[in-house]
Amino acid sequence: MSFDAVIDVRNVSKRFGGLTAVNNCSLSVQRGSITGLIGPNGAGKSTLFNIVAGNIVPDSGQVLFDGQDVTGLAPHQLFRQGMLRTFQIAHEFSNMTALENLMMVPGDQPGESLVDSWLRPRLVKARETEVRKKALDVIDFLKLGHVRNELAGNLSGGQKKLLELGRTMMVDAKVVLLDEVAAGVNKTLLHDLAANIERMNKELGYTFFVIEHDMDLIGRLCDPVIVMAQGEKIAEGPMSEIRANAAIVEAYFGSPVEAD
Amino acid sequence: MALIELKHVVGGYSSVPILNGVDIAIEQSDIGVIVGPNGAGKSTTLKAIFGLLKVTGGTIEFGGENIANSLPDKLVPKGLSFVPQEKNVFTSLSVEENLEMGAFTRKDDYAQTMAWVYEMFPVLAEKRRQPAGELSGGQRQMVAMGRALMSKPSLLMLDEPSAGLSPRYVIEIFETIVRVNKEGVGILMVEQNARQALAFASKGFVLASGRNRFTGTGAELIADPEVAKSFLGG
Amino acid sequence: MDELVFFINRVLISGTVLGSIYALGAIGVTLIFGILRFAHFAHGDMMTMGAFIAFLLASVCTALGIVTPIPSGFLVLPVAMAITAVIALGLDKGFYAPLRKRGAKPVTLLIASIGVTLILQGLLRLIFGSGTRSFYQSEPKEIFRIDMSALGGSRPITITEPQVLMIVVTALLVLGLHFFLTRSRLGKAMRAMADNADLAQVSGINTALVVRVTWIVAGALACVAGTMLALDVALMPDLAFNIILPIFAAAIVGGLGHVYGAIVGGFLIAFAETLSVFNWTSVLRPLNDLLPEGMALPANLALVPTEYKLTVAFVILVITLLARPTGIFKGASS
Amino acid sequence: MSGEAQAKRIDLANPTVRAIVLFSAMFVLILAVGFVQGAANSGLLLTQALAYALIALGLNIQWGYGGLFNFAVMGFMMVGGASVVFVSFPVNALFWDSEGPVMLGRALLAFLAGVLLVWGARHSHRLGVRGGWKTALLVLAWFIAYVVYRSQIDPAAAYIESTAGFVGGLGLNPILGWLFGGLVAAVIAYIVGRISLGLRTDYLAIATIGISEIIRALLKNMDWLTRGTMTASPMPWPVNLPQDYQAQGIPISESFVYARFGFFALLLAIFIVVFFFVQRAYGGPWGRMMRAIRDNHIAAGSMGKNVTGRQLELFVFGSVLIGMGGAILVTFNQIFDPAGYQPINHTFMIWVMVIVGGAGNNWGVLLGAVLIYIVWIISDPLAQAIFLNLSSWSQSLGWGAIPEIDSRALQMRVFVLGIIITVALRYAPRGLLPEVVKREV
Amino acid sequence: DDVKLGFLADVTGPIAGFAGGMVSAGNLAVDHVNAQGGILGGNKLVSIVADGACSADTAGPAADRLVNTENVTSIFGDYCTGSTLAAANTAAIPGNVVMISPSASAPTVTGLDDNDLVYRTVVSDAFQGAKAAELLLSQGINEVGVTYVNNDYGKGLADQFVASFTAGGGTVAANVAHEDGKADYRPEIGQIESSGATTLVIYGYENAGGGAILNQALEAGSFDLFVGGDGMAGEALLASRDAASLEGLILTQAAAAAGDAYDIYAKLATDAGLVPDTTYGPQSYDAAFLLALAIEKNGSAERQGVSAALREVASAPGEIILPGEWTKAVELIKAGTDIDYRGASGDVEFDAAGDVAGGIDYFVVEGGTIVNKGQIP
Ligand SMILES: Nc1ncnc2c1ncn2[C@@H]1O[C@H](COP(=O)(O)OP(=O)(O)OP(=O)(O)O)[C@@H](O)[C@H]1O
Ligand SMILES: Nc1ncnc2c1ncn2[C@@H]1O[C@H](COP(=O)(O)OP(=O)(O)OP(=O)(O)O)[C@@H](O)[C@H]1O
Ligand SMILES: [Mg+2]
Ligand SMILES: [Mg+2]
């Protein structure tokens, strides 16, 4: 079935002490899709992301990226192969400005090699100008222009999340993993962001793999949606189908709150 | 007289002010919800009330007394309580010890309050000996709220209590908040799940750039097309 | 039998005594780290200072003609602990509190504590000179020799009075500290603050009070540790400065911020030191009879020469950390 | 006073202005010291201060750029020192004519065999050995390697110590020795880094302290190699010694000045080149990447930066400078004395230089190194002046003089230094010249 | 004008424990000079103290300050071998300044290419170690354990002792280094004890590791007999210990001058409120006093000629000068009579390398006191 799966997770398990966070889980993400991943708190979604992105080595099982076994590869190696992720809890570089946070993302900057930075200053400078321009564009899009010179550690919770998202726009990636980018982000801005994600998917061919608790967003963007619970995949399909599944609705959505 | 009243509060982390005049008034029976774009100063407002940053202008009156720039260990005995958005439980302490820490400022016997908290969150009574670090996200949020309630506050402040929670927990948490409010505790909270929160809020405040932009009941704000478009995502 | 007695004297007793010293020092270090999140390098000199204060008080006692069955240095300990605690509070107020207030990084506090070390060392030398002193100038040190002849040994098991006191005191203090931290409100508040200082503040815990209590406890513990050490060996201005590295090693191996970790770490380092240079021939000598003619155990079967004693302790440390990067008890980090 | 009033009007918050003001103050201090102490002594102080600045720069690369808690500065300085002894100390004919080289050769073979064995055990999983078996095999391999090496090196060491004293040097130019010192430090840093860079903050600190103590114990006790506590001296200089000038008929007092400033000029040239390259790398994307890794290594890894590789790069780069600085100091002082190295003087003092100067700011570190070094040197007469006066004052009050005041006053130099460190940090907790945030204009 | 004498002292760092006493002893000599009419026709002799910190990095600049900034005539110091060599190479030798070290006893100092500028009043370890070995063998002690402080002093002494002792047919069952300043030496003691030796030779310092080892060995009751070098000698040995348990303890030390030179010094020191036999105290007194004599003999505060004058005042033949006899010495020098200083630490006759030769005395603790048994034959 995984003919055109860009990410293929096969029988992956991960335990923390006595707790099995991911339990023999298999799933795949099709090239060019925006795949959603939902499930109750503690279902193991972020752990699965960590495994796919190389931040955690699974106890057993395999992860295939573009048809190749990448289990156990370091995050920076996966980045080089075109995988980019965001973090649920913002991982900003707190002592660097917002702009610098974005400028450090592009790979293969000649200035990052000691020899080049000593001996080929002109090349370094040319690339640096390019990177800065790109970063400024992204920052404006995220409406963070006025805080671009602020230390990232001093940004508000939501602004950090936006920065987290901004990183994915700094490079051309094959696959982007988004871990709850919407949490804490203002809804109006979120509309623009969603539109941009759709655009990147359609026009630039990015594949997105999205963890989200915001059902409106999932409903608008994602097809298919994968449901995880207790470390296992329990369902997959379009949102409408998921909503129709009584068990999931009971376990995951609950009943709407009464107005006072 | 309002339980808490912020009049044109100005303040910030350094010399540059983040709050440029915030006005908020909450009664004991109110659930107040602050909404607004990212970086508007919502969290900063709560921190300013709680003495965690410098207020340089305006007044914050709580029970008729100006409490601007008082520190938490003075404010908690007066009846204020605060649940930060993240890292809001002591992970290495047991659930019961977490609750005790909430009662640290109390000199009287707090056994009754603890029973009340356990009654409200029965699942916590089951896990009272377990370290809070081993609980799920939703349970932690209950511990955090329980801890804040242990000081018997008249005003409970919450910073994005629903962020990161799965829809089911969001509902639960909001229900709990309503319940706590019915027990006679005023609520002031910041939310990005704005529509849902404003639905049961008795007062709503829209902040932008450190200033009030709209104030009204929750229903009024939801109904206001301008607010809905600019702040609630249409 | 003699081999066993030798092992008891040279490994069990020595290791326990040394381990108690390291543990007492490391508990203070680990407490300060847990609450204030920095490595307090001047802790060793606080220990030395405590010992000197006890020494002064003991001299006063002797001068007043007070004779006691237990060493006077031990008797004056409560007073000395109180004084050292006050000095510890003063050090915090004078040097560390201003830095904390300005939000300095842990490393800045660490470097400031190096400055404090230098200040204390200078003062100790200015006031007391640089020579060595003994608590037992006027009274002999009592030595218990447990005769082993009944069991067929020719040598006694030997232990001195201060060593017995030290082991007992360490055990009592650890127990007391345990109850303080798990049962008292203030103790729990200390643990809460070590866990999450921001939330502790938000909960209305008087963090300034907790910090003060931490320094009081750390200062009092330092005084006990220093005095016990000085009772066992001798008193000199660099008494504890010289063992601050193994003390830190103990706190780190155990996992910073963990009182029990500090104890385990202290004994681990102490026994590593003791065993690494222990001459195994001395206990294996009976095997010589079993070995074929012409073959004998070498005279010295120690793992390393004594010059490398501390080295072994540090090798153990590095290996432990490689296996458990934040110490045996999963410690905090700054 | 008026200077300070003026400084108030100047915007001290502006990093450039602050740097200019503080460096001017430093030059005034140097001039004052030069005026009081004379040219010859100042030449010596400046040279040593600059060597320390080179070392501090190395530590700044590791801590200021990378956030690596390297507390093995002393160890790397000693490595550099031992290296320059080996390269530049005069040839010991006694050793080369003896059996020593052959025995050492055998020991080297044994060492390599041991390395091979351990390497083999580490890769034994390729042969299907796994889990506990592999660990057991590894421990066994280490043990055998240790025993085999000891069986060769112990007799060789005893033989060399009894026949030739120690191996002596190669008699080459000291500058080659400095480079070699940097190289050896690099190799050791690579090994140490591979082992320990996975540790964080204080845990790394104590592990490196341990490694530094291990290096010290080895160099202090490997008499056959370093002469141990018996010290290797006098080390040759790459430039003329005062004696050489005296032989040319230059008066003694001037000969000191010529010799010292000759050495200083050479060192300054090296320092400027190093500083230029370090600054250039730090100012560009390389520095930005390193700061990102320091701030959040997990995120940096996910943004495609090879965290372990880069941290190793920093660790090695910094250690090269520390090793070179250690080698230069040995050459300048003309002695390698392993017993003279103390963590407090050679590790913590360098940290004080970096933190007081301003971690992450090379200019700040240069300032901190020179300032702390000068303070350390003038604390000697300063402490005497203060405490001799205090003693006579207490005498005049009838309390009697402080006993042994001559030596106790001098011992108070550590007190003076302690006060200066704490006061400096109190008023500049992020260092005199803090790291500059790169804001756009 | 004042005549400046540099005191290069390691008062901070590893030997801070006894460096202070050495400075005081040196100052006692300076006081004697000044109290008895001063130097060079009534000038005051002043000591300028600088800290070498027992570290090459610090001793170099400190010596240089004395030589180039303070312009001292001669230097008393440094104390540690490493710092002495650094001070000599950095400043004293190129500056043509005489240095006398009271304590840098390692054999390395002998071989220093010093233009006859570096002297010492402490006997080279090589000599004392050999003599001690002979003594023990002659008393029928054939098996010993040795512990030495791991620095140039202890190592030099122990190496020579072990070489001579084994060459003479004895067995060194264990030879163990110890570091000064540690709290606990029981492992070291245990290693020696386990070798079966019942005699322990301690080459360390009484007021540092050596003394602590002695205490802990006594507490454990591990050995029958103790032997010590000059670092262990001194009244303090008995002052803080139960003398009865030390019965029979043997000490070796450079032979005191014929006559009562040491006793005279001891009285002078006690009168001045000092402990006479602090570690290297007598050697320090002698070094400072000799420099004063040499300057007086040389006739000016210039550096040129001090070395030659030092050899004249220190060596026989000549009228004997004892510690404290400054007025007498000055008069004799004025009269053109050759003098010969006999110091508190021994005869102080310098050989070609600037080392003191001379005999080694040995002492035994008998009946609660230290009894001088005379020179080791
Ligand atoms: N590093 C860790 N150590 C121990 N337990 C962990 C660790 N990381 C995650 N867990 C546990 O594993 C389980 C799965 O966590 P995970 O973060 O993957 O959940 P999630 O599905 O992302 O939940 P949420 O929606 O709340 O983010 C949880 O019970 C969590 O407590
Ligand atoms: N410690 C700080 N130092 C300086 N500025 C800060 C600090 N914390 C926050 N700010 C600034 O204050 C402004 C308001 O922040 P605040 O956290 O109050 O926003 P918010 O309204 O809660 O936003 P969000 O919805 O994203 O949480 C932001 O622009 C932020 O950059
Ligand atoms: Mg998650
Ligand atoms: Mg916020």
Side-chain angles (χ1 to χ4, degrees), chain B residues 50 52 71-73 76 82 84 87-93 97 100-107 110 147, chain C residues 181-186 188-193 195-197 199-207 209-210:
Chain B
F50 219 59
L52 299 175
L71 288 175
D73 57 312
V76 173
F82 180 41
K87 295 189 187 151
N88 49 18
V89 296
F90 298 108
T91 48
S92 66
L93 270 57
E97 282 170 334
E100 277 178 52
M101 287 304 109
F104 186 83
T105 53
R106 285 177 60 177
K107 301 277 177 283
Y110 50 77
R147 196 219 79 235
Chain C
L181 288 178
T182 53
R183 299 292 156 85
S184 78
R185 245 153 86 96
L186 212 50
K188 284 179 197 170
M190 274 171 78
R191 281 167 56 216
M193 191 165 157
D195 184 315
N196 186 339
L199 185 60
Q201 194 195 4
V202 164
S203 300
I205 292 174
N206 186 340
T207 49
L209 177 70
V210 173

Side-chain angles (χ1 to χ4, degrees), chain D residues 218-268:
Chain D
L218 287 174
L219 290 179
K220 190 170 166 185
N221 293 302
M222 295 207 309
D223 290 17
W224 60 275
L225 178 65
T226 63
R227 239 174 151 204
T229 51
M230 310 302 272
T231 73
S233 104
M235 302 290 301
W237 271 22
V239 294
N240 281 342
L241 282 162
Q243 288 92 320
D244 301 328
Y245 287 108
Q246 286 164 28
Q248 295 165 21
I250 291 167
I252 289 181
S253 55
E254 285 168 40
S255 72
F256 275 108
V257 181
Y258 288 159
R260 300 232 168 109
F261 279 97
F263 202 112
F264 179 73
L266 174 64
L267 181 52
L268 187 64

Side-chain angles (χ1 to χ4, degrees), chain A residues 147 150 154-159 184, chain B residues 13 18 37-44 160 192:
Chain A
V147 288
E150 192 60 64
N154 288 347
L155 297 183
S156 78
Q159 287 169 334
Chain B
Y13 298 92
I18 305 286
N38 296 117
K42 304 180 294 297
S43 303
T44 306
E160 301 203 28
Q192 289 292 3

